[in-house]
Amino acid sequence: MNVSSPTSSQKPDSPEKTAAAASQANTITVLRPQHGLAALNLGDLWKYRELIYFMTLRDIQVRYKQTLLGAAWAVLQPVLQMVVFSMLFGGIAKISSDGLPYPLFNFAALLPWGLFSRAISDAGRSLVSNRNMITKIYFPRAVIPLASVLSGLVDFLIAFVVLACLLVYYHFMPGSNFKFVFSPALLALPLLLLLTLVTAMGVSLWFAAMNVIYRDVGYILPFITQLWFFITPVVYSSSEVTGNLRLLYMLNPMTGVVEGFRWALLGTAFSAGNWLIVSVVISVLVLASGWVYFRQMERRFADEI
Amino acid sequence: MSNKNTAQIAIRVENLGKSFKIGAAVSTQAASKYVSGYRTLRDDLADGLRRFRSGFSKDRQAEQAASTQFWALRGVSFDIQRGQVVGIVGRNGAGKSTLLKILSRVSDPTEGRAEIHGRVGALLEVGTGFHPELTGRENVFLNGAILGMRRTEIQRKFDEIVEFAEVAQFVDTPVKRYSSGMYLRLAFAVAAHLEPEILVVDEVLAVGDAEFQRKCIGKMSDVAQQGRTVLFVSHNMSAILRLTEETIVLERGKLAFRAPTNQAVDYYMSSGMAETADRKWLPEEIPASAAPFTPLALRVRDPHGLVVDSFRSLDPIQVEFEYRLDEPLTGLRTGIYLQTRMGEFVFTSFDTDSPEAFDKFSTRPAGIYRSHCTIPANLLNEGSFVLGVNASVYRIKRYFEDDKALSFNVDATGAPGKHWVEKRLGPLRPALDWQIERLD
């Protein structure tokens, strides 16, 4: 759709009419068949920023409704995961944790990973689960997956508080080999968080749009998330990956993010640091291509969902 | 066109068309439990293979494309001036919803163009985006934002909205605890306080009780009187007559007629007279959502069992509705609406109205059925009547509805009081058992 505002084709012939015309028809929307590449139309998304806010708020408010434990799930989910991984990989498999307490090593990675995996699985299905809105009213469709991704931030922040408690605990625990240091690296956290969101949004745009046309995506998504989990150093250290594979491995933006979180919070070596620029480039490419694909498919959503 | 005229136009539609692939539509209509409407990767791969085998012949592809395309709307052109209130009527599948979806930017046209001058508020459904877990207050803000209102605008109108909806004391209760009436009132109230230059409304009045409908119509006529442009789609002819000045009649995706409303309604209610008395439905007139219900035929017969379209007021009319169920349905009721040609409802009646039938047919197995009844003699006044059908499960789902399925004429020859030639008012002309007693 092309929206031109204010219109240039209107030349009211008297000043009185100018005011009248401006009040009733200051925008002309032209609806016509869309061929070729869709316009990127980011301005429309900005115009609907309040909707993004309310949709995010809705997703947050609804998330733990009708559950017995409510928002406690935001704490329990990552903590339980961390406990299981610590027993399996730290305790039984004795996987190297770069000399850190395994729970801490693992939890610092679970933060961004949890945000990411949750975002892509929620956002991937978001368009289909909001189909009644899509067939009934116009708004930029990207608002829906965007709100899904953003609503995960609340869980992230809650888990972050848990992590802070863990940091304090291991710092003061007698005999602990971990000492927390305030380093300037902490300032990189918001940027790493942004990188996580950008990657999650890019992947979500692809999956959400594809899911409208091919519901197969709903079935493939859990496998993809699982596979992605194992090619990201969440339960192990990326220093375990060596040789030619390593190059390929570093192409995964989440590797850089997870490594970066450990580096900033736990003071581990940031072997992926040199590669971070590659991570950034890749996630921006995923986001940009996701946006183009989404815009391209958007015109078919209402008819095919 | 001079600049002055351009400035007064609110909506200009030129040669607008929208087509769907029939393949997709057919699969939705056949929708058994396993065949759903959406495509899977497998379908596309299979299609690709088929196309590959057929050798990519251009002619063949074009031929295939033409045969698998269904035009829901085609070649529609009209202008609507600023401040006009225009109705759109048409049977199921005539393209009304498609037109509204294009004008409200929900879906793109396939050909032609439309120009919208000003901010559009589209009400294709009340309560879009309402979430049952959220409170009334939260839903008002969310729904307002979805409809395109600013937060400050919603804040300003919040009290007014809540007052209009009469839910003030429940405003912080999750809407899942609302009665359906409260829910609808709140949903409509938000929409009613939208202040677009152009309001596009679809069938919202089809929901809710009579009181609520009155309120909605009242609000709509307020909007109309404020000089805003309104495009109003409805099956409710009395609402169309009351609210709109001009009406557009759509037939099979084309603009069939446009005239001042009473003429247009008259045209609409009497159009299709030729195919009356024995009505069958084309596949594209049956929406996908009707499955597993398929209407087969609706007929009216005279006392001799002949299918005719004229009756005498003093004869009974046999009505029969045949349909097929592809799956068993529980709680199904099929029935008829009788309307006058001006769209006033005369009565509604369902085949399971009697408690015995209701119990006996609580679940209907798959199969072909005929529900039939008799409209008693000496009931209808002279004039044209329109018979509609409905197949639904109360409060669960409306499978099929065509409130204008066929029409027939009633001739009052020999009816009570016919020795006076005057026209009698009202749709009914019952033979009442008058007694005259002398009291002095």
Side-chain angles (χ1 to χ4, degrees):
Chain A
M1 316 267 167
N2 304 323
V3 183
S4 53
S5 94
T7 159
S8 53
S9 66
Q10 267 190 0
K11 292 190 197 84
D13 38 15
S14 68
E16 299 87 63
K17 272 191 190 129
T18 316
S23 71
Q24 46 84 18
N26 47 9
T27 55
I28 293 187
T29 313
V30 177
L31 316 170
R32 64 162 90 91
Q34 304 288 304
H35 299 292
L37 275 178
L40 292 180
N41 214 2
L42 287 164
D44 224 16
L45 203 56
W46 175 247
K47 265 205 328 225
Y48 278 83
R49 59 191 181 279
E50 286 190 348
L51 182 58
I52 298 174
Y53 167 77
F54 281 114
M55 288 289 289
T56 310
L57 195 67
R58 181 193 81 167
D59 285 353
I60 292 167
Q61 284 168 327
V62 165
R63 178 161 275 186
Y64 298 111
K65 281 275 165 73
Q66 196 100 34
T67 58
L68 200 58
L69 300 178
W73 279 115
V75 175
L76 280 175
Q77 275 174 331
V79 167
L80 289 176
Q81 263 184 316
M82 180 267 282
V83 169
V84 171
F85 291 144
S86 298
M87 286 187 331
L88 279 178
F89 298 102
I92 298 171
K94 301 250 182 287
I95 282 176
S96 153
S97 55
D98 293 341
L100 291 163
Y102 190 87
L104 207 52
F105 170 83
N106 183 234
F107 203 77
L110 277 176
L111 279 189
W113 175 257
L115 176 63
F116 177 75
S117 64
R118 177 103 197 213
I120 61 172
S121 69
D122 283 0
R125 292 181 183 84
S126 59
L127 288 177
V128 173
S129 46
N130 286 291
R131 77 163 84 184
N132 67 326
M133 286 173 62
I134 289 175
T135 55
K136 292 298 180 193
I137 199 139
Y138 171 79
F139 56 92
R141 304 328 187 177
V143 166
I144 293 177
L146 184 57
S148 274
V149 170
L150 291 179
S151 69
L153 278 174
V154 171
D155 285 33
F156 176 86
L157 290 176
I158 294 174
F160 200 88
V161 174
V162 177
L163 178 72
C165 298
L166 278 180
L167 287 172
V168 171
Y169 173 78
Y170 280 102
H171 183 79
F172 290 108
M173 191 178 80
S176 163
N177 53 357
F178 171 75
K179 289 284 171 269
F180 181 73
V181 267
F182 276 100
S183 77
L186 285 172
L187 296 175
L189 279 182
L191 296 176
L192 291 166
L193 179 62
L194 185 67
L195 183 58
T196 313
L197 290 175
V198 167
T199 315
M201 190 60 200
V203 175
S204 298
L205 285 174
W206 274 100
F207 283 142
M210 261 198 261
N211 198 20
V212 172
I213 320 280
Y214 308 110
R215 298 296 151 87
D216 309 73
V217 172
Y219 300 99
I220 300 171
L221 212 51
F223 292 106
I224 293 184
T225 318
Q226 204 167 29
L227 190 71
W228 206 320
F229 174 76
F230 286 113
I231 61 165
T232 305
V234 179
V235 293
Y236 56 90
S237 161
S238 74
S239 55
E240 309 262 336
V241 183
T242 50
N244 289 338
L245 261 179
R246 191 166 168 82
L247 190 98
L248 204 63
Y249 188 73
M250 289 302 168
L251 294 180
N252 170 11
M254 288 310 290
T255 300
V257 166
V258 162
E259 287 270 281
F261 263 74
R262 287 201 184 114
W263 163 72
L265 289 161
L266 311 177
T268 56
F270 196 178
S271 62
N274 302 331
W275 291 92
L276 202 59
I277 186 70
V278 180
S279 294
V280 171
V281 169
I282 288 179
S283 37
V284 169
L285 279 181
V286 171
L287 180 65
S289 61
W291 180 254
V292 170
Y293 178 71
F294 192 91
R295 285 286 303 156
Q296 202 62 21
M297 303 310 278
E298 193 173 0
R299 57 177 82 136
R300 290 167 62 187
F301 287 170
D303 298 331
E304 303 212 11
I305 200 163
Chain B
M1 177 125 327
S2 77
N3 285 327
K4 187 179 159 226
N5 282 339
T6 314
Q8 285 177 341
I9 275 181
I11 300 173
R12 165 169 292 167
V13 171
E14 283 163 14
N15 200 26
L16 205 63
K18 172 93 187 173
S19 72
F20 294 96
K21 272 192 221 140
I22 274 243
V26 167
S27 80
T28 20
Q29 273 171 14
S32 71
K33 239 181 240 165
Y34 305 100
V35 187
S36 332
Y38 54 82
R39 295 177 71 72
T40 64
L41 212 50
R42 215 182 89 196
D43 297 341
D44 270 12
L45 292 177
D47 275 6
L49 206 63
R50 215 171 298 137
R51 227 171 296 142
F52 182 73
R53 280 216 209 106
S54 67
F56 287 103
S57 133
K58 273 240 170 89
D59 298 349
R60 197 180 261 171
Q61 271 188 22
E63 194 183 306
Q64 271 184 352
S67 67
T68 55
Q69 249 181 355
F70 162 65
W71 288 89
L73 199 69
R74 194 157 208 193
V76 172
S77 305
F78 58 84
D79 282 353
I80 290 176
Q81 303 291 315
R82 192 162 57 84
Q84 258 191 318
V85 180
V86 176
I88 297 179
V89 299
R91 289 164 180 258
N92 288 336
K96 302 175 307 255
S97 303
T98 308
L99 177 61
L100 284 204
K101 280 188 178 177
I102 293 172
L103 293 181
S104 58
R105 298 177 71 189
V106 168
S107 79
D108 277 0
T110 313
E111 60 177 33
R113 54 177 270 149
E115 252 176 53
I116 314 271
H117 297 235
R119 187 169 95 142
V120 179
L123 259 181
L124 303 195
E125 176 190 67
V126 290
T128 308
F130 259 45
H131 197 288
E133 297 284 352
L134 298 182
T135 67
R137 181 188 304 275
E138 288 161 349
N139 271 312
V140 166
F141 278 91
L142 177 63
N143 187 235
I146 291 171
L147 292 172
M149 287 159 93
R150 297 242 154 269
R151 183 155 47 148
T152 47
E153 192 181 344
I154 308 170
Q155 267 158 358
R156 189 155 36 81
K157 293 180 185 158
F158 186 81
D159 292 334
E160 212 181 310
I161 290 173
V162 169
E163 193 187 326
F164 182 84
E166 300 163 26
V167 294
Q169 55 189 125
F170 306 105
V171 74
D172 290 309
T173 309
V175 298
K176 65 176 176 180
R177 303 204 202 290
Y178 280 27
S179 70
S180 57
M182 284 159 67
Y183 183 95
L184 283 174
R185 284 202 302 272
L186 185 62
F188 184 84
V190 183
H193 288 80
L194 189 67
E195 283 175 358
E197 286 122 0
I198 300 167
L199 186 63
V200 174
V201 187
D202 188 9
E203 278 309 352
V204 267
L205 303 174
V207 293
D209 52 23
E211 171 61 34
F212 175 69
Q213 296 201 356
R214 248 195 307 282
K215 204 162 170 176
C216 294
I217 292 185
K219 186 74 192 176
M220 296 263 305
S221 52
D222 288 354
V223 169
Q225 274 156 24
Q226 285 159 17
R228 276 181 273 165
T229 313
V230 181
L231 211 54
F232 177 50
V233 166
S234 182
H235 278 116
N236 182 340
M237 291 304 136
S238 53
I240 290 268
L241 280 165
R242 192 169 147 193
L243 288 176
T244 67
E245 304 140 16
E246 240 192 304
T247 293
I248 289 171
V249 183
L250 290 180
E251 262 170 25
R252 297 201 184 142
K254 295 200 161 55
L255 193 153
F257 196 63
R258 178 181 180 168
T261 295
N262 46 14
Q263 287 172 38
V265 167
D266 193 52
Y267 172 88
Y268 169 66
M269 293 307 281
S270 58
S271 69
M273 280 292 189
E275 60 179 340
T276 51
D278 187 354
R279 169 88 162 111
K280 294 189 171 61
W281 285 268
L282 296 170
E284 65 263 27
E285 290 177 304
I286 305 171
S289 58
F293 181 94
T294 311
L296 299 175
L298 179 72
R299 293 183 200 99
V300 282
R301 294 180 192 270
D302 70 6
H304 307 292
L306 296 173
V307 175
V308 292
D309 63 5
S310 294
F311 297 87
R312 288 189 307 169
S313 180
L314 43 82
D315 282 336
I317 302 170
Q318 296 169 30
V319 178
E320 55 187 52
F321 182 35
E322 291 174 357
Y323 48 93
R324 189 179 73 231
L325 297 182
D326 295 325
E327 280 171 40
L329 274 180
T330 297
L332 180 73
R333 52 179 197 181
T334 62
I336 52 170
Y337 303 122
L338 190 71
Q339 281 172 272
T340 66
R341 220 167 112 159
M342 293 315 280
E344 302 157 280
F345 279 91
V346 181
F347 66 74
T348 304
S349 179
F350 286 104
D351 59 358
T352 47
D353 279 347
S354 77
E356 298 78 33
F358 180 74
D359 289 338
K360 192 171 167 204
F361 293 97
S362 62
T363 297
R364 287 179 217 197
I368 296 178
Y369 291 84
R370 174 188 293 156
S371 294
H372 54 101
C373 65
T374 304
I375 299 174
N378 288 319
L379 178 68
L380 302 179
N381 196 359
E382 65 190 310
S384 293
F385 290 87
V386 177
L387 202 56
V389 289
N390 173 300
S392 55
V393 176
Y394 178 60
R395 286 225 159 149
I396 306 288
K397 189 174 170 180
R398 189 169 67 199
Y399 288 94
F400 181 75
E401 185 178 56
D402 183 347
D403 55 14
K404 206 169 97 46
L406 65 74
S407 60
F408 58 84
N409 292 304
V410 173
D411 169 6
T413 312
K418 201 54 194 169
H419 38 274
W420 296 297
V421 289
E422 70 190 348
K423 199 170 166 2
R424 293 243 163 140
L425 294 175
L428 298 182
R429 191 171 192 144
L432 303 178
D433 72 344
W434 283 100
Q435 308 291 330
I436 304 172
E437 289 169 40
R438 188 173 165 164
L439 297 177
D440 61 351

